[in-house]
Amino acid sequence: DGVVRRLVKAPTVKERAKTPGLDPRRADIILAGALILEQVVDAIDAPGLTFSDYALREGVLLDTWRREHGASLHHLSDLRRRSVLRLAQQMDEDTTHSAQVARLALELFDATADRHGLGDDSREVLEAAALLANVGLFVSHAGHHKHSYYVIRNSELLTGFTDREIELIAQVARYHRKSAPRRKHPEFATLDRDDQQRVRVLAGILRVAVGLDRNHSGRVRSVTCHEGKAGVMTVEVTAMPGQDVSLELYSANGRADLLAEALGMPVEVVERAEAPPVAAQA
């Protein structure tokens, strides 16, 4: 408050520039910034402030390094996820189904991580694509996967993502059904080789997850994966108690071709056999 009063009393920018510790280049805007900060502190009743020794340039360097090395910027993940959910709530008629698909997709991603080798940044792309895959239904049911690409790519609601990340989210959502990614598709062709493989893997996982909620009724509780001796990736599905998941298994197996191609091995989706009951001890 004392600093603000001192800045207010300085009649000109030239006079404010003489303030001890103030960069003279900031003298023209320091009063407005100080007033905003003062009012924010007052509004939230903050007992004190801790100032960072770093600035935007250090943030840009950290942001770039983390993204280039396949890591998630966890301090932005909440912001990004909230923006994804906001777009989904506005344009997806069945967000419960999309949330179930996203949950299963992430379980599949984690269970196959040793095979695909993708990092946390790809995991975030997959979750966002799963939550937004059906926003194109708001436009039209026919070809809605292509409409989803357009909506995601052009939405102004997605914050915290780079342009490249939004493109990846849009493409994974676009390929959650119908045609698999092909180099003849203009948008896919513009991606570099690593990102093309990333889209194949993530869209392949998403297709299987969509199949596992074919009835939109949340019948699948969880999934696990393991590589068998015959070189087959087996996806084991655990059903909710008392639920028949035969349609989900059929649908997931019918959608597994892209994932098999991306992982370089056959994929089989089966129901997990229940463990036999343990005999009672005498």
Side-chain angles (χ1 to χ4, degrees):
D1 292 341
V3 171
V4 170
R5 286 194 296 270
R6 179 172 180 172
L7 292 172
V8 169
K9 289 180 180 179
T12 64
V13 171
K14 187 175 181 178
E15 287 296 320
R16 286 200 294 273
K18 298 177 182 179
T19 304
L22 174 63
D23 183 341
R25 294 173 298 176
R26 300 288 185 264
D28 58 338
I29 60 171
I30 190 63
L31 178 56
L35 288 168
I36 292 171
L37 182 60
E38 180 188 42
Q39 292 305 305
V40 169
V41 170
D42 180 69
I44 66 176
D45 196 25
L49 296 170
T50 301
F51 293 94
S52 172
D53 291 329
Y54 301 99
L56 285 174
R57 63 176 63 88
E58 287 85 6
V60 170
L61 287 171
L62 174 62
D63 179 279
T64 302
W65 189 91
R66 295 289 295 275
R67 293 182 193 277
E68 288 297 321
H69 289 76
S72 170
L73 298 175
H74 295 291
H75 64 289
L76 288 179
S77 60
D78 287 344
L79 170 66
R80 290 194 293 259
R81 196 170 193 279
R82 285 198 303 270
S83 72
V84 168
L85 293 174
R86 184 166 65 248
L87 178 57
Q89 288 164 0
Q90 288 191 12
M91 303 192 69
D92 187 353
E93 296 179 353
D94 191 353
T95 54
T96 300
H97 164 67
S98 297
Q100 168 74 350
V101 168
R103 182 180 68 81
L104 296 175
L106 294 181
E107 288 187 7
L108 284 168
F109 180 93
D110 294 340
T112 55
D114 290 342
R115 186 72 184 182
H116 58 64
L118 298 178
D120 284 349
D121 58 333
S122 295
R123 194 178 191 274
E124 279 194 295
V125 167
L126 174 61
E127 182 180 27
L131 292 169
L132 298 175
N134 288 324
V135 294
L137 287 169
F138 187 87
V139 179
S140 171
H141 186 277
H144 75 266
H145 53 297
K146 295 181 181 179
H147 297 313
S148 292
Y149 172 87
Y150 180 84
V151 169
I152 295 168
R153 196 66 188 89
N154 294 281
S155 172
E156 296 181 353
L157 295 179
L158 296 178
T159 53
F161 295 101
T162 65
D163 185 74
R164 170 178 167 269
E165 288 169 335
I166 293 175
E167 177 66 28
L168 291 174
I169 293 168
Q171 291 211 27
V172 174
R174 180 254 186 272
Y175 290 114
H176 84 276
R177 65 191 291 269
K178 297 292 185 179
S179 173
R182 294 290 180 262
R183 288 190 176 92
K184 67 179 182 180
H185 299 158
E187 294 83 3
F188 184 73
T190 62
L191 300 178
D192 63 32
R193 183 175 299 178
D194 288 343
D195 279 345
Q196 287 182 350
Q197 175 63 7
R198 192 188 316 273
V199 169
R200 289 190 186 98
V201 171
L202 300 182
I205 290 173
L206 182 53
R207 287 184 179 218
V208 173
V210 170
L212 291 175
D213 198 41
R214 183 66 180 82
N215 279 312
H216 290 222
S217 53
R219 296 185 180 187
V220 173
R221 183 170 65 186
S222 62
V223 294
T224 58
C225 301
H226 64 84
E227 295 185 31
K229 294 181 179 179
V232 176
M233 177 66 72
T234 301
V235 179
E236 291 190 337
V237 174
T238 301
M240 296 294 288
Q243 293 294 326
D244 178 9
V245 293
S246 56
L247 179 59
E248 282 73 16
L249 297 178
Y250 176 81
S251 179
N253 276 302
R255 294 167 175 261
D257 288 352
L258 178 57
L259 181 58
E261 176 189 330
L263 296 181
M265 63 191 311
V267 174
E268 180 185 25
V269 186
V270 301
E271 185 170 6
R272 186 174 185 178
E274 294 185 7
V278 179
Q281 295 284 332

